[in-house]
Amino acid sequence: MNKPNFFIVGAPKCGTTSLANYLAEHKRIFMSEIKEPSFFSDDIDINPGGITSLDKYEQLFSPAGSNHIAVGEASTQYLYSDSAVENILGYNPEAKFIVMLRNPIKMAHSLHFQQVYSLNEEVEDFKTAWYLQEERKRGNKVPSACNDPQVLQYGDWCKTGQQMKRLMQNVEEDQVFTILLDDMKDNPRKVYEEVLRFLNVPDDRRKQFPKHNTSTKVRLKFLERVIRKLGKVKRAIGINKPLKVSRMLNNTKEQKREPLSDKMKSELLNYFRHDIHLLEETINRDLSEWTDVETHDEAAPQPAGEVEQHYL
């Protein structure tokens, strides 16, 4: 039986979709057809009707063959989850962990946009949604379509310094590989080579690193709700292959996010400053550029989406 031996554990909106797609196309690597099985994060209920039994989870990897050196999956909530890493290690003590990180100010802004697209968030203005976090912790003003209010706690999700420290306290250093989205953008080929070495997989000389999961907005929310209900039915009867119905019906479109004001950037920086320093210490990397408000300006729009979102 094939069991996953590596996990892309997050963080959300940090390039995991692109990396998972690149690795899935390598002949010696098998990635689960479902990108976010989320099986081990049993303390987060983001995907109701998702995979909850070990048998169904392991069926995702049954197509893997003897030619596959690395077998993996990518579930971005594992890093945030209190239980996922412990559960993974209980399942496979030798599992390898790939973590992707980015400036938390940009991450929080992008994560909010994603939750609006996912229909978990009804408040389309980021600033308003940010100020609602404490109220929502008390169970108030949570959208009825949101299955787990945790996903609306943008500050907590983006405190990756705390999350990385917890990870490194529980996992041997040689089992963890960390990637910054900035590095992925600057030199995807170099990062890709490093990941293959970490997984002990030969280089396939890949040269193309296309964009995946750029900023997307739903055109008609009622239609998207119907599509997603059908998706739950599809998964319930054992069809895991993504059908991309929204794309076929042209119900999604790429859209640039509204830029943050300088005041909001400064407020977010003050909120995340300590966690950024904690992350610096944990991964032994200078992140001083993240604490310079002048570096947080949004990039000019490009034909295929924002520059900063090429690897989201």
Side-chain angles (χ1 to χ4, degrees):
M1 179 184 68
N2 294 299
K3 296 174 61 174
N5 53 28
F6 81 93
F7 300 81
I8 303 176
V9 297
K13 309 311 296 178
C14 292
T16 58
T17 299
S18 288
L19 181 62
N21 276 276
Y22 303 155
L23 297 179
E25 293 173 359
H26 193 295
K27 293 181 179 180
R28 305 303 301 275
I29 299 175
F30 179 87
M31 296 292 294
S32 65
E33 194 166 39
I34 294 179
K35 183 204 172 238
E36 303 255 5
S38 310
F39 174 71
F40 292 104
S41 51
D42 52 19
D43 57 335
I44 305 172
D45 190 15
I46 293 179
N47 300 316
I51 297 173
T52 56
S53 76
L54 180 61
D55 181 60
K56 287 186 177 181
Y57 177 74
E58 291 185 334
Q59 286 179 21
L60 298 177
F61 307 96
S62 59
S66 58
N67 61 306
H68 293 117
I69 298 172
V71 177
E73 58 121 317
S75 295
T76 57
Q77 59 266 47
Y78 286 167
L79 184 65
Y80 172 83
S81 167
D82 288 328
S83 60
V85 171
E86 181 180 353
N87 289 338
I88 290 171
L89 291 174
Y91 177 74
N92 184 353
E94 298 180 355
K96 293 186 175 183
F97 297 80
I98 297 175
V99 185
M100 303 190 70
L101 306 167
R102 76 185 294 191
N103 183 324
I105 295 174
K106 295 180 179 180
M107 179 183 169
H109 194 198
S110 182
L111 184 59
H112 165 260
F113 200 93
Q114 176 66 36
Q115 294 305 336
V116 171
Y117 167 74
S118 299
L119 306 183
N120 289 315
E121 176 64 270
E122 294 177 346
V123 179
E124 297 193 6
D125 176 65
F126 171 71
K127 181 179 178 180
T128 303
W130 178 264
Y131 290 146
L132 280 174
Q133 289 179 102
E134 288 302 319
E135 187 78 9
R136 287 168 163 177
K137 279 185 178 179
R138 296 190 291 269
N140 301 322
K141 299 184 179 180
V142 176
S144 59
C146 181
N147 194 65
D148 191 335
Q150 288 185 83
V151 302
L152 306 178
Q153 295 301 313
Y154 306 110
D156 290 344
W157 277 89
C158 299
K159 286 184 176 178
T160 53
Q162 293 180 4
Q163 297 164 26
M164 277 300 299
K165 183 177 180 180
R166 179 179 60 198
L167 177 70
M168 299 308 296
Q169 288 173 338
N170 290 281
V171 182
E172 295 297 327
E173 187 174 351
D174 63 357
Q175 290 177 250
V176 179
F177 184 75
T178 304
I179 302 169
L180 298 187
L181 181 59
D182 293 337
D183 295 338
M184 185 85 156
K185 287 163 45 182
D186 292 342
N187 195 336
R189 171 63 193 169
K190 181 175 182 293
V191 170
Y192 181 70
E193 289 176 357
E194 292 171 346
V195 172
L196 295 184
R197 284 196 293 270
F198 174 68
L199 297 176
N200 296 316
V201 172
D203 191 356
D204 60 352
R205 305 298 178 185
R206 182 188 185 98
K207 295 181 180 180
Q208 300 299 320
F209 297 90
K211 315 169 187 69
H212 291 278
N213 198 19
T214 53
S215 294
T216 307
K217 185 173 183 178
V218 171
R219 295 179 187 272
L220 299 174
K221 290 185 178 181
F222 77 90
L223 176 59
E224 191 66 19
R225 291 191 183 98
V226 172
I227 292 170
R228 296 184 187 191
K229 286 181 180 179
L230 291 175
K232 293 176 185 178
V233 173
K234 171 179 69 71
R235 290 191 295 273
I237 61 177
I239 301 174
N240 295 322
K241 185 177 178 60
L243 300 181
K244 301 179 180 179
V245 177
S246 289
R247 186 177 301 176
M248 288 189 290
L249 296 178
N250 196 30
N251 197 42
T252 58
K253 61 179 179 178
E254 290 187 2
Q255 179 168 315
K256 183 180 182 293
R257 300 193 310 272
E258 290 294 325
L260 297 174
S261 68
D262 289 342
K263 182 179 180 181
M264 192 64 194
K265 292 174 191 174
S266 296
E267 184 172 335
L268 292 173
L269 176 57
N270 289 333
Y271 179 89
F272 287 116
R273 191 185 301 276
H274 174 73
D275 192 74
I276 292 173
H277 291 322
L278 179 60
L279 183 60
E280 284 184 312
E281 296 172 1
T282 304
I283 67 175
N284 192 28
R285 177 77 181 262
D286 178 12
L287 302 175
S288 57
E289 184 177 339
W290 290 6
T291 57
D292 180 1
V293 175
E294 296 301 318
T295 67
H296 301 323
D297 291 336
E298 301 290 342
Q302 302 292 320
E306 293 181 76
V307 170
E308 71 175 57
Q309 294 185 310
H310 284 183
Y311 299 102
L312 297 188

mmCIF file of all heavy atoms in Angstrom, residues 250-284:
data_model
loop_
_atom_site.group_PDB
_atom_site.id
_atom_site.type_symbol
_atom_site.label_atom_id
_atom_site.label_comp_id
_atom_site.label_asym_id
_atom_site.label_seq_id
_atom_site.Cartn_x
_atom_site.Cartn_y
_atom_site.Cartn_z
ATOM 1 N N ASN A 250 -18.123 29.893 -16.883
ATOM 2 C CA ASN A 250 -17.622 31.271 -16.855
ATOM 3 C C ASN A 250 -18.160 32.044 -15.652
ATOM 4 O O ASN A 250 -18.520 33.220 -15.760
ATOM 5 C CB ASN A 250 -17.997 32.001 -18.156
ATOM 6 C CG ASN A 250 -17.179 33.281 -18.350
ATOM 7 O OD1 ASN A 250 -16.031 33.375 -17.900
ATOM 8 N ND2 ASN A 250 -17.765 34.261 -19.007
ATOM 9 N N ASN A 251 -18.208 31.349 -14.493
ATOM 10 C CA ASN A 251 -18.752 31.995 -13.291
ATOM 11 C C ASN A 251 -17.655 32.560 -12.388
ATOM 12 O O ASN A 251 -17.929 33.005 -11.285
ATOM 13 C CB ASN A 251 -19.608 31.010 -12.486
ATOM 14 C CG ASN A 251 -20.494 31.726 -11.486
ATOM 15 O OD1 ASN A 251 -21.082 32.760 -11.796
ATOM 16 N ND2 ASN A 251 -20.579 31.202 -10.266
ATOM 17 N N THR A 252 -16.421 32.527 -12.838
ATOM 18 C CA THR A 252 -15.332 33.139 -12.083
ATOM 19 C C THR A 252 -14.525 34.026 -13.021
ATOM 20 O O THR A 252 -14.501 33.823 -14.234
ATOM 21 C CB THR A 252 -14.394 32.083 -11.462
ATOM 22 O OG1 THR A 252 -13.852 31.253 -12.499
ATOM 23 C CG2 THR A 252 -15.139 31.228 -10.464
ATOM 24 N N LYS A 253 -13.876 35.004 -12.436
ATOM 25 C CA LYS A 253 -13.036 35.905 -13.211
ATOM 26 C C LYS A 253 -11.856 36.362 -12.360
ATOM 27 O O LYS A 253 -11.949 36.457 -11.133
ATOM 28 C CB LYS A 253 -13.834 37.128 -13.670
ATOM 29 C CG LYS A 253 -14.403 37.969 -12.525
ATOM 30 C CD LYS A 253 -15.162 39.180 -13.048
ATOM 31 C CE LYS A 253 -15.750 40.004 -11.881
ATOM 32 N NZ LYS A 253 -16.455 41.205 -12.375
ATOM 33 N N GLU A 254 -10.731 36.617 -13.013
ATOM 34 C CA GLU A 254 -9.582 37.156 -12.310
ATOM 35 C C GLU A 254 -9.830 38.622 -11.992
ATOM 36 O O GLU A 254 -10.375 39.358 -12.819
ATOM 37 C CB GLU A 254 -8.310 37.002 -13.151
ATOM 38 C CG GLU A 254 -7.847 35.568 -13.276
ATOM 39 C CD GLU A 254 -6.496 35.452 -13.963
ATOM 40 O OE1 GLU A 254 -5.925 36.500 -14.306
ATOM 41 O OE2 GLU A 254 -6.031 34.326 -14.133
ATOM 42 N N GLN A 255 -9.451 39.023 -10.799
ATOM 43 C CA GLN A 255 -9.687 40.411 -10.406
ATOM 44 C C GLN A 255 -8.609 40.873 -9.435
ATOM 45 O O GLN A 255 -8.264 40.159 -8.493
ATOM 46 C CB GLN A 255 -11.064 40.556 -9.762
ATOM 47 C CG GLN A 255 -11.365 41.980 -9.305
ATOM 48 C CD GLN A 255 -12.813 42.171 -8.952
ATOM 49 O OE1 GLN A 255 -13.709 41.732 -9.678
ATOM 50 N NE2 GLN A 255 -13.069 42.819 -7.834
ATOM 51 N N LYS A 256 -8.114 42.053 -9.663
ATOM 52 C CA LYS A 256 -7.102 42.633 -8.796
ATOM 53 C C LYS A 256 -7.735 43.083 -7.481
ATOM 54 O O LYS A 256 -8.819 43.659 -7.475
ATOM 55 C CB LYS A 256 -6.437 43.820 -9.491
ATOM 56 C CG LYS A 256 -5.309 44.471 -8.724
ATOM 57 C CD LYS A 256 -4.738 45.623 -9.521
ATOM 58 C CE LYS A 256 -3.554 46.251 -8.778
ATOM 59 N NZ LYS A 256 -3.990 46.909 -7.525
ATOM 60 N N ARG A 257 -7.056 42.819 -6.370
ATOM 61 C CA ARG A 257 -7.551 43.286 -5.086
ATOM 62 C C ARG A 257 -7.357 44.788 -4.941
ATOM 63 O O ARG A 257 -6.428 45.364 -5.486
ATOM 64 C CB ARG A 257 -6.798 42.591 -3.938
ATOM 65 C CG ARG A 257 -6.939 41.094 -3.921
ATOM 66 C CD ARG A 257 -6.457 40.510 -2.599
ATOM 67 N NE ARG A 257 -5.151 40.990 -2.205
ATOM 68 C CZ ARG A 257 -4.008 40.429 -2.558
ATOM 69 N NH1 ARG A 257 -4.011 39.386 -3.376
ATOM 70 N NH2 ARG A 257 -2.859 40.899 -2.118
ATOM 71 N N GLU A 258 -8.240 45.387 -4.169
ATOM 72 C CA GLU A 258 -8.081 46.801 -3.851
ATOM 73 C C GLU A 258 -6.842 46.952 -2.960
ATOM 74 O O GLU A 258 -6.681 46.210 -1.990
ATOM 75 C CB GLU A 258 -9.313 47.338 -3.115
ATOM 76 C CG GLU A 258 -10.552 47.453 -3.981
ATOM 77 C CD GLU A 258 -10.393 48.504 -5.072
ATOM 78 O OE1 GLU A 258 -9.726 49.528 -4.818
ATOM 79 O OE2 GLU A 258 -10.916 48.295 -6.163
ATOM 80 N N PRO A 259 -5.954 47.909 -3.252
ATOM 81 C CA PRO A 259 -4.744 48.070 -2.438
ATOM 82 C C PRO A 259 -5.069 48.543 -1.026
ATOM 83 O O PRO A 259 -6.087 49.218 -0.793
ATOM 84 C CB PRO A 259 -3.945 49.123 -3.209
ATOM 85 C CG PRO A 259 -4.958 49.884 -3.994
ATOM 86 C CD PRO A 259 -6.026 48.894 -4.351
ATOM 87 N N LEU A 260 -4.217 48.188 -0.089
ATOM 88 C CA LEU A 260 -4.373 48.640 1.286
ATOM 89 C C LEU A 260 -3.888 50.077 1.423
ATOM 90 O O LEU A 260 -2.934 50.491 0.769
ATOM 91 C CB LEU A 260 -3.559 47.749 2.232
ATOM 92 C CG LEU A 260 -3.953 46.273 2.310
ATOM 93 C CD1 LEU A 260 -2.954 45.519 3.180
ATOM 94 C CD2 LEU A 260 -5.354 46.113 2.859
ATOM 95 N N SER A 261 -4.523 50.812 2.297
ATOM 96 C CA SER A 261 -4.058 52.168 2.586
ATOM 97 C C SER A 261 -2.778 52.098 3.412
ATOM 98 O O SER A 261 -2.490 51.073 4.065
ATOM 99 C CB SER A 261 -5.130 52.932 3.369
ATOM 100 O OG SER A 261 -5.278 52.379 4.673
ATOM 101 N N ASP A 262 -1.994 53.169 3.401
ATOM 102 C CA ASP A 262 -0.769 53.207 4.193
ATOM 103 C C ASP A 262 -1.084 53.029 5.678
ATOM 104 O O ASP A 262 -0.339 52.375 6.410
ATOM 105 C CB ASP A 262 -0.029 54.528 3.974
ATOM 106 C CG ASP A 262 0.591 54.628 2.586
ATOM 107 O OD1 ASP A 262 0.753 53.575 1.937
ATOM 108 O OD2 ASP A 262 0.903 55.751 2.147
ATOM 109 N N LYS A 263 -2.198 53.612 6.124
ATOM 110 C CA LYS A 263 -2.583 53.489 7.532
ATOM 111 C C LYS A 263 -2.878 52.045 7.889
ATOM 112 O O LYS A 263 -2.459 51.548 8.953
ATOM 113 C CB LYS A 263 -3.806 54.359 7.813
ATOM 114 C CG LYS A 263 -4.249 54.326 9.269
ATOM 115 C CD LYS A 263 -5.462 55.230 9.495
ATOM 116 C CE LYS A 263 -5.908 55.186 10.959
ATOM 117 N NZ LYS A 263 -7.102 56.046 11.185
ATOM 118 N N MET A 264 -3.575 51.338 6.991
ATOM 119 C CA MET A 264 -3.903 49.939 7.260
ATOM 120 C C MET A 264 -2.644 49.080 7.237
ATOM 121 O O MET A 264 -2.484 48.159 8.046
ATOM 122 C CB MET A 264 -4.915 49.433 6.234
ATOM 123 C CG MET A 264 -5.542 48.084 6.602
ATOM 124 S SD MET A 264 -6.517 48.224 8.108
ATOM 125 C CE MET A 264 -6.758 46.507 8.541
ATOM 126 N N LYS A 265 -1.732 49.356 6.319
ATOM 127 C CA LYS A 265 -0.465 48.617 6.273
ATOM 128 C C LYS A 265 0.285 48.767 7.587
ATOM 129 O O LYS A 265 0.823 47.797 8.124
ATOM 130 C CB LYS A 265 0.401 49.115 5.115
ATOM 131 C CG LYS A 265 -0.121 48.819 3.735
ATOM 132 C CD LYS A 265 0.760 49.495 2.701
ATOM 133 C CE LYS A 265 0.161 49.457 1.320
ATOM 134 N NZ LYS A 265 0.950 50.240 0.343
ATOM 135 N N SER A 266 0.326 50.008 8.097
ATOM 136 C CA SER A 266 1.036 50.265 9.351
ATOM 137 C C SER A 266 0.372 49.535 10.513
ATOM 138 O O SER A 266 1.057 48.989 11.390
ATOM 139 C CB SER A 266 1.082 51.773 9.637
ATOM 140 O OG SER A 266 1.828 52.452 8.655
ATOM 141 N N GLU A 267 -0.950 49.516 10.519
ATOM 142 C CA GLU A 267 -1.669 48.814 11.586
ATOM 143 C C GLU A 267 -1.379 47.319 11.542
ATOM 144 O O GLU A 267 -1.150 46.683 12.581
ATOM 145 C CB GLU A 267 -3.168 49.078 11.446
ATOM 146 C CG GLU A 267 -3.985 48.464 12.565
ATOM 147 C CD GLU A 267 -5.439 48.893 12.540
ATOM 148 O OE1 GLU A 267 -5.729 49.978 11.998
ATOM 149 O OE2 GLU A 267 -6.281 48.141 13.074
ATOM 150 N N LEU A 268 -1.382 46.752 10.353
ATOM 151 C CA LEU A 268 -1.089 45.326 10.214
ATOM 152 C C LEU A 268 0.351 45.026 10.592
ATOM 153 O O LEU A 268 0.642 44.001 11.213
ATOM 154 C CB LEU A 268 -1.364 44.883 8.781
ATOM 155 C CG LEU A 268 -2.828 44.884 8.342
ATOM 156 C CD1 LEU A 268 -2.944 44.595 6.856
ATOM 157 C CD2 LEU A 268 -3.643 43.882 9.142
ATOM 158 N N LEU A 269 1.255 45.916 10.225
ATOM 159 C CA LEU A 269 2.659 45.715 10.581
ATOM 160 C C LEU A 269 2.832 45.690 12.096
ATOM 161 O O LEU A 269 3.545 44.831 12.631
ATOM 162 C CB LEU A 269 3.525 46.809 9.965
ATOM 163 C CG LEU A 269 5.017 46.777 10.341
ATOM 164 C CD1 LEU A 269 5.640 45.433 9.970
ATOM 165 C CD2 LEU A 269 5.760 47.914 9.665
ATOM 166 N N ASN A 270 2.185 46.600 12.791
ATOM 167 C CA ASN A 270 2.266 46.610 14.247
ATOM 168 C C ASN A 270 1.696 45.321 14.832
ATOM 169 O O ASN A 270 2.208 44.795 15.827
ATOM 170 C CB ASN A 270 1.521 47.823 14.810
ATOM 171 C CG ASN A 270 2.252 49.128 14.541
ATOM 172 O OD1 ASN A 270 3.474 49.145 14.401
ATOM 173 N ND2 ASN A 270 1.494 50.227 14.451
ATOM 174 N N TYR A 271 0.643 44.829 14.219
ATOM 175 C CA TYR A 271 0.018 43.587 14.688
ATOM 176 C C TYR A 271 0.949 42.390 14.496
ATOM 177 O O TYR A 271 1.061 41.526 15.380
ATOM 178 C CB TYR A 271 -1.293 43.362 13.933
ATOM 179 C CG TYR A 271 -2.019 42.096 14.312
ATOM 180 C CD1 TYR A 271 -2.929 42.086 15.357
ATOM 181 C CD2 TYR A 271 -1.796 40.909 13.625
ATOM 182 C CE1 TYR A 271 -3.607 40.921 15.717
ATOM 183 C CE2 TYR A 271 -2.452 39.746 13.972
ATOM 184 C CZ TYR A 271 -3.356 39.754 15.022
ATOM 185 O OH TYR A 271 -4.008 38.591 15.376
ATOM 186 N N PHE A 272 1.629 42.331 13.359
ATOM 187 C CA PHE A 272 2.433 41.163 13.017
ATOM 188 C C PHE A 272 3.919 41.296 13.377
ATOM 189 O O PHE A 272 4.672 40.321 13.229
ATOM 190 C CB PHE A 272 2.330 40.874 11.513
ATOM 191 C CG PHE A 272 1.012 40.303 11.077
ATOM 192 C CD1 PHE A 272 0.191 41.009 10.206
ATOM 193 C CD2 PHE A 272 0.589 39.068 11.531
ATOM 194 C CE1 PHE A 272 -1.029 40.486 9.793
ATOM 195 C CE2 PHE A 272 -0.627 38.528 11.122
ATOM 196 C CZ PHE A 272 -1.437 39.246 10.255
ATOM 197 N N ARG A 273 4.363 42.443 13.837
ATOM 198 C CA ARG A 273 5.797 42.689 14.006
ATOM 199 C C ARG A 273 6.472 41.629 14.889
ATOM 200 O O ARG A 273 7.502 41.067 14.532
ATOM 201 C CB ARG A 273 6.037 44.077 14.591
ATOM 202 C CG ARG A 273 7.502 44.504 14.548
ATOM 203 C CD ARG A 273 7.711 45.834 15.259
ATOM 204 N NE ARG A 273 6.907 46.894 14.674
ATOM 205 C CZ ARG A 273 7.278 47.605 13.608
ATOM 206 N NH1 ARG A 273 8.443 47.359 13.019
ATOM 207 N NH2 ARG A 273 6.501 48.574 13.144
ATOM 208 N N HIS A 274 5.897 41.364 16.040
ATOM 209 C CA HIS A 274 6.501 40.382 16.951
ATOM 210 C C HIS A 274 6.560 39.000 16.301
ATOM 211 O O HIS A 274 7.565 38.280 16.424
ATOM 212 C CB HIS A 274 5.714 40.310 18.256
ATOM 213 C CG HIS A 274 6.193 39.225 19.182
ATOM 214 N ND1 HIS A 274 7.377 39.312 19.894
ATOM 215 C CD2 HIS A 274 5.658 38.005 19.484
ATOM 216 C CE1 HIS A 274 7.552 38.222 20.606
ATOM 217 N NE2 HIS A 274 6.522 37.408 20.382
ATOM 218 N N ASP A 275 5.505 38.621 15.611
ATOM 219 C CA ASP A 275 5.467 37.294 14.985
ATOM 220 C C ASP A 275 6.494 37.193 13.858
ATOM 221 O O ASP A 275 7.088 36.128 13.652
ATOM 222 C CB ASP A 275 4.064 37.016 14.443
ATOM 223 C CG ASP A 275 3.888 35.568 14.041
ATOM 224 O OD1 ASP A 275 3.767 34.711 14.936
ATOM 225 O OD2 ASP A 275 3.884 35.282 12.823
ATOM 226 N N ILE A 276 6.713 38.286 13.137
ATOM 227 C CA ILE A 276 7.740 38.288 12.090
ATOM 228 C C ILE A 276 9.122 38.054 12.696
ATOM 229 O O ILE A 276 9.919 37.265 12.179
ATOM 230 C CB ILE A 276 7.711 39.604 11.295
ATOM 231 C CG1 ILE A 276 6.426 39.710 10.466
ATOM 232 C CG2 ILE A 276 8.936 39.708 10.380
ATOM 233 C CD1 ILE A 276 6.232 41.048 9.788
ATOM 234 N N HIS A 277 9.399 38.710 13.814
ATOM 235 C CA HIS A 277 10.687 38.514 14.490
ATOM 236 C C HIS A 277 10.822 37.074 14.992
ATOM 237 O O HIS A 277 11.911 36.484 14.930
ATOM 238 C CB HIS A 277 10.839 39.493 15.646
ATOM 239 C CG HIS A 277 10.994 40.925 15.220
ATOM 240 N ND1 HIS A 277 11.726 41.289 14.107
ATOM 241 C CD2 HIS A 277 10.507 42.086 15.751
ATOM 242 C CE1 HIS A 277 11.695 42.608 13.963
ATOM 243 N NE2 HIS A 277 10.957 43.112 14.947
ATOM 244 N N LEU A 278 9.721 36.514 15.474
ATOM 245 C CA LEU A 278 9.734 35.120 15.917
ATOM 246 C C LEU A 278 10.037 34.187 14.752
ATOM 247 O O LEU A 278 10.804 33.216 14.887
ATOM 248 C CB LEU A 278 8.389 34.758 16.554
ATOM 249 C CG LEU A 278 8.229 33.320 17.057
ATOM 250 C CD1 LEU A 278 9.264 32.999 18.131
ATOM 251 C CD2 LEU A 278 6.813 33.108 17.594
ATOM 252 N N LEU A 279 9.456 34.485 13.597
ATOM 253 C CA LEU A 279 9.715 33.670 12.412
ATOM 254 C C LEU A 279 11.164 33.792 11.976
ATOM 255 O O LEU A 279 11.796 32.790 11.590
ATOM 256 C CB LEU A 279 8.779 34.093 11.276
ATOM 257 C CG LEU A 279 8.878 33.286 9.982
ATOM 258 C CD1 LEU A 279 8.562 31.817 10.227
ATOM 259 C CD2 LEU A 279 7.942 33.852 8.916
ATOM 260 N N GLU A 280 11.715 34.991 12.037
ATOM 261 C CA GLU A 280 13.133 35.197 11.709
ATOM 262 C C GLU A 280 14.011 34.279 12.547
ATOM 263 O O GLU A 280 14.930 33.624 12.028
ATOM 264 C CB GLU A 280 13.538 36.651 11.968
ATOM 265 C CG GLU A 280 13.078 37.644 10.930
ATOM 266 C CD GLU A 280 13.599 39.040 11.226
ATOM 267 O OE1 GLU A 280 13.476 39.493 12.383
ATOM 268 O OE2 GLU A 280 14.118 39.695 10.300
ATOM 269 N N GLU A 281 13.753 34.235 13.843
ATOM 270 C CA GLU A 281 14.552 33.409 14.745
ATOM 271 C C GLU A 281 14.362 31.926 14.460
ATOM 272 O O GLU A 281 15.307 31.143 14.513
ATOM 273 C CB GLU A 281 14.156 33.709 16.192
ATOM 274 C CG GLU A 281 14.454 35.135 16.639
ATOM 275 C CD GLU A 281 13.862 35.440 18.010
ATOM 276 O OE1 GLU A 281 13.241 34.516 18.601
ATOM 277 O OE2 GLU A 281 14.007 36.581 18.480
ATOM 278 N N THR A 282 13.139 31.556 14.130
ATOM 279 C CA THR A 282 12.826 30.140 13.948
ATOM 280 C C THR A 282 13.437 29.567 12.682
ATOM 281 O O THR A 282 13.956 28.440 12.680
ATOM 282 C CB THR A 282 11.293 29.935 13.928
ATOM 283 O OG1 THR A 282 10.728 30.463 15.130
ATOM 284 C CG2 THR A 282 10.951 28.458 13.824
ATOM 285 N N ILE A 283 13.396 30.330 11.588
ATOM 286 C CA ILE A 283 13.918 29.816 10.322
ATOM 287 C C ILE A 283 15.301 30.386 10.000
ATOM 288 O O ILE A 283 15.859 30.087 8.945
ATOM 289 C CB ILE A 283 12.944 30.085 9.153
ATOM 290 C CG1 ILE A 283 12.828 31.590 8.859
ATOM 291 C CG2 ILE A 283 11.582 29.478 9.447
ATOM 292 C CD1 ILE A 283 11.973 31.902 7.629
ATOM 293 N N ASN A 284 15.824 31.206 10.897
ATOM 294 C CA ASN A 284 17.155 31.798 10.728
ATOM 295 C C ASN A 284 17.272 32.524 9.396
ATOM 296 O O ASN A 284 18.171 32.272 8.595
ATOM 297 C CB ASN A 284 18.241 30.712 10.839
ATOM 298 C CG ASN A 284 19.639 31.298 10.970
ATOM 299 O OD1 ASN A 284 19.805 32.413 11.478
ATOM 300 N ND2 ASN A 284 20.628 30.562 10.510
#
